[in-house]
Structures are given as structure tokens and as C-alpha cells.
Amino acid sequence: MQKITIAIDGYSSCGKSTLARALAHKLHYNYIDTGAMYRAVTLFAIRKGLISIDKPLEVDLLILKLDEIELHFELNAGNHHSDIFLNSENVESHIRSMEVSNCVSRVSAIKQVREKMVALQRQMGKGKAVVLDGRDIGSHVFPKAELKIFMTADADVRAKRRFDEYSSKGQYFDIEEVKHNLLKRDQEDLNRSESPLIKVEDAVVLDNSELTREEQLDFVLKLIADLHLISKEEHPQH
Ligand code: DC
């Protein structure tokens, strides 16, 4: 079967990573969690004292230090997930904290940060057979991706999912705070000047407010099957 690039964009906490991971597993594709990359850069900036929840980002200093950041993914044999490494340290368990979540939009809005991440993402995904999730994959990173999905879900459903995820890790927040954080990030992602979150014309919208994980996976597998059908009809000699 022809190897394709699958771009999954959408709002915060829509379950993009869950779907992307399931798809990659099913198709034996690589999975690139681009949000994890922006989170790892944010963690770096927090550790260097360049940003905090109450401190504005020291943009010029971060830009100067970008060359000190090396990121890569490694397959975790225990859970079959791809863990992100920041300068050889597995930071997977550090990048989902509320502190990183509160700072990441400010870091990901910086042009030089995005240029570095996009170059890395294109390098990692150049061989196709890849699923990437993020905000600008279909619009900017891989505009020629064969399949583009734009995910959305009701804000209360999203807040509850993120709240449950935090709780399962022993982190307890007010659900309204979780909702506030994700709506704020949506606004920042939609309104930034560098590669804002947009639904491109050729993306298929997937609202998963009332869909199970299996239903979402089936929906996308069907789209992939249809894609191959269309290309066969267009090129009947193949
Ligand atoms: O998907 P996530 O919530 O882990 O992403 C973290 C942040 O990174 C999110 O607030 C927006 C930003 N991001 C981005 O700007 N571009 C991407 N391709 C992926 C994430």
C-alpha cells in the first residue's frame, strides 16, 4: 500500500495525540508529537529561568540559546510510545505539567523557535509513512500531506478529558482552571502571527465530542481506504 503523510491539527486537548498514536500503531507508521517538541523547548526555557507563569519570556536570550537544544524521539519499549528527549534526557514526564502548559503558547509563538521545530519535523517526516499532530502540520509543515484532519470537540468535554489525565497522574486542579488554560491556549494559537492554527480547505473536520476512540480510528481508516480508492479510479492502470 502507498505510504502517505497524515497531518492531524486542531484545538488543545482534543485527543489528537491519542488518535495519531493509534493510527501510527495500526498502520506501522512513525508518530511525531510536534506539541511535545514545543513543550520540550518550553521546559528548557523554564529551567534556564527565561520564562515562568508570572515572568515574561526573555525572547532574545531564548533565541541565542536555541543552538543548545537537541531534541529527538525514542520508542519506549514499555508502552510503545515515542518519548521525547531534550539534550539526551527523557523529559516525557516533565513536559505535561501545568507550568509548561501555561508557558508553551508564548514560546511556540516565537518565529525562530518555530523555524527550528519545523525544519526538524520536515527532516523526521521526509520518508512518509508518518502521522504528525499539531497546529500547523497541514497548513505549513506538510502542506502536501495526502490526508489532513482538523480535530475539534466541545470545550467542556476537552476540559474533562485533560482534568482526568492530570488526576490519573496525581495532579489535582480545579476543572475550571483546566478549561481556562485550554481556551486561552486556543486563542493564542488562533491569533498568533506565525503559523496560526487554521483549518485548511482540504482538511476533513473530525468533531470527537461524542465519539469513542475506536469510532475515531475507524473514521480515519475509512478516509484512508477511500483515498486509495479514489487514486485507483483516477489511475485505473495501477
Ligand atoms: O498539542 P499540545 O497541547 O501538546 O501542544 C502544546 C503547545 O504547542 C500548544 O499550546 C500549541 C503549540 N504547538 C504549536 O504551536 N504548533 C504545533 N505544531 C504543535 C503545538
Side-chain angles (χ1 to χ4, degrees):
M1 193 157 46
Q2 186 204 337
K3 303 282 184 205
I4 63 169
T5 301
I6 303 175
I8 303 184
D9 291 301
Y11 294 102
S12 292
S13 306
C14 269
K16 298 186 295 295
S17 329
T18 306
L19 174 62
R21 203 176 279 127
L23 263 174
H25 183 71
K26 179 90 187 168
L27 301 170
H28 303 289
Y29 276 22
N30 284 326
Y31 165 50
I32 301 172
D33 177 350
T34 66
M37 298 169 72
Y38 290 99
R39 285 173 179 273
V41 176
T42 305
L43 181 67
F44 173 89
I46 292 170
R47 286 176 171 179
K48 293 284 178 196
L50 304 179
I51 190 173
S52 76
I53 291 178
D54 339 288
K55 179 182 176 329
L57 173 62
E58 299 211 33
V59 177
D60 293 343
L61 276 179
L62 176 61
I63 292 169
L64 277 177
K65 288 185 178 296
L66 280 179
D67 284 345
E68 295 176 23
I69 299 176
E70 185 276 327
L71 298 178
H72 69 271
F73 289 95
E74 279 181 30
L75 196 68
N76 180 326
N79 58 14
H80 304 289
H81 290 179
S82 284
D83 287 350
I84 190 154
F85 283 68
L86 164 64
N87 296 336
S88 309
E89 176 193 352
N90 185 336
V91 290
E92 197 57 41
S93 60
H94 300 287
I95 58 166
R96 319 266 167 207
S97 68
M98 195 56 127
E99 189 183 18
V100 171
S101 295
N102 270 309
C103 297
V104 64
S105 293
R106 284 181 280 154
V107 171
S108 63
I110 307 303
K111 183 169 174 265
Q112 290 82 348
V113 170
R114 301 203 71 82
E115 283 171 355
K116 180 172 168 121
M117 294 305 109
V118 169
L120 255 172
Q121 290 154 15
R122 288 184 177 149
Q123 175 65 24
M124 291 172 178
K126 68 174 191 249
K128 297 207 178 225
V130 69
V131 186
L132 301 101
D133 79 323
R135 306 294 188 287
D136 59 342
I137 310 302
S139 61
H140 183 59
V141 183
F142 285 109
K144 293 190 177 154
E146 288 84 355
L147 180 61
K148 300 178 185 177
I149 311 280
F150 187 88
M151 283 180 76
T152 178
D154 179 84
D156 287 313
V157 173
R158 293 192 278 140
K160 173 78 169 63
R161 286 181 188 154
R162 196 38 72 103
F163 173 85
D164 289 344
E165 189 186 321
Y166 282 129
S167 307
S168 71
K169 292 180 189 154
Q171 300 173 17
Y172 298 98
F173 301 101
D174 185 86
I175 194 158
E176 284 307 316
E177 185 187 350
V178 176
K179 185 175 167 186
H180 174 79
N181 171 270
L182 67 89
L183 290 179
K184 187 163 167 281
R185 280 201 291 140
D186 286 347
Q187 284 312 310
E188 286 166 341
D189 293 341
L190 288 165
N191 295 316
R192 67 172 175 237
S193 54
E194 294 297 325
S195 304
L197 170 65
I198 49 162
K199 187 202 101 48
V200 285
E201 250 180 39
D202 52 346
V204 179
V205 176
L206 171 55
D207 182 333
N208 70 2
S209 308
E210 293 181 8
L211 295 182
T212 63
R213 290 177 181 195
E214 291 71 28
E215 287 168 335
Q216 295 170 56
L217 183 61
D218 285 350
F219 176 83
V220 181
L221 290 174
K222 170 93 175 39
L223 289 175
I224 295 170
D226 290 350
L227 259 184
H228 288 112
L229 203 71
I230 289 165
S231 64
K232 262 190 228 147
E233 280 166 3
E234 280 172 358
H235 307 286
Q237 71 274 27
H238 296 305

